[in-house]
Amino acid sequence: MNQDLLLLPAAQGIYGSGYLLDRIQSASILSISVLQGSSIGGGLLLGLATDHRIATRSATFRLGVAPYGLSPVVMATAVLPKLVGHNVATRMYVEDLSLDAQDAMASGIVSGLSQSTHHARMRAS
């Protein structure tokens, strides 16, 4: 049996079927994420699955698929253009555009900015 095939079930949580992301997105309760540092790939998608996103001012956001010749997963192609528009989403897919917290706020990825994780958590509660 090909050893690479054994990795697939472990990766399906975020990148395959998107089961976890679908569950978060379809939950009947309000979901809020606090994003700090670099939100790349699955970390960005996990944040996008929530209803509201608050980021620290030092946060950065990118898909990180272009350097590896990969295509974005379904959630990124469905949700990201609705938040940021097709032009920015395409640049994130193709050019591996990275957004800082200010750009993420302006484009709609995050709904609020905070100086620190502590302040972001206080805003979320």
Side-chain angles (χ1 to χ4, degrees):
M1 177 182 266
N2 186 340
Q3 292 297 318
D4 293 340
L5 295 178
L6 298 175
L7 299 175
L8 184 60
Q12 281 188 342
I14 289 186
Y15 294 108
S17 65
Y19 176 77
L20 174 63
L21 300 175
D22 291 339
R23 293 288 306 251
I24 292 170
Q25 231 180 358
S26 63
S28 60
I29 60 171
L30 179 67
S31 59
I32 301 171
S33 57
V34 175
L35 304 159
Q36 172 188 2
S38 298
S39 295
I40 303 171
L44 173 59
L45 297 178
L46 190 58
L48 292 178
T50 62
D51 297 314
H52 296 285
R53 292 157 298 283
I54 300 171
T56 60
R57 294 191 184 279
S58 61
T60 59
F61 305 87
R62 76 180 246 256
L63 284 173
V65 296
Y68 304 103
L70 302 172
S71 60
V73 296
V74 173
M75 176 155 185
T77 60
V79 175
L80 195 58
K82 291 178 185 175
L83 292 173
V84 303
H86 290 287
N87 290 337
V88 173
T90 300
R91 290 189 63 210
M92 290 182 80
Y93 304 149
V94 177
E95 300 172 18
D96 198 31
L97 175 69
S98 180
L99 301 177
D100 63 18
Q102 294 290 335
D103 291 338
M105 177 75 176
S107 65
I109 289 179
V110 297
S111 52
L113 296 177
S114 186
Q115 291 291 20
S116 69
T117 305
H118 173 73
H119 289 118
R121 288 183 186 146
M122 296 301 290
R123 277 187 73 178
S125 57

